[in-house]
Amino acid sequence: MEVISEMTIEQMIEAILDKLNIINKGVIKAEQFDGSKSEDLEEIYSFVMMRDSLTLAEVDAIIDELKALKTA
């Protein structure tokens, strides 16, 4: 099991976007998040990483949730 607490926000965002096969990674940038939402981000990260595959609806929902967590 991966230790999330040692991962930076940037590493989590990068891993999530890679797993979702997002081509335009500029849509969501690590600097748009602050530490206040790290628990929510860790939950999204854990969900995405435990799945072998995601439906298009799930990918859309995850992107929407990430956008809602942005502070900038």
Side-chain angles (χ1 to χ4, degrees):
M1 182 94 162
E2 202 164 341
V3 179
I4 296 172
S5 61
E6 294 180 9
M7 293 185 76
T8 65
I9 289 174
E10 184 175 354
Q11 290 170 323
M12 282 191 279
I13 296 293
E14 181 82 18
I16 291 168
L17 296 178
D18 283 346
K19 181 85 176 202
L20 299 180
N21 292 319
I22 302 301
I23 296 169
N24 184 5
K25 295 183 181 176
V27 171
I28 298 175
K29 299 177 185 174
E31 57 267 10
Q32 296 172 316
F33 297 83
D34 64 23
S36 68
K37 303 289 186 178
S38 61
E39 196 170 299
D40 294 328
L41 187 57
E42 287 176 10
E43 287 180 27
I44 293 170
Y45 173 84
S46 294
F47 174 78
V48 169
M49 293 303 136
M50 73 178 203
R51 301 291 305 271
D52 289 331
S53 63
L54 296 157
T55 67
L56 186 54
E58 288 172 323
V59 171
D60 286 344
I62 292 165
I63 294 297
D64 288 344
E65 187 63 28
L66 288 172
K67 287 178 181 178
L69 292 176
K70 293 192 308 187
T71 56

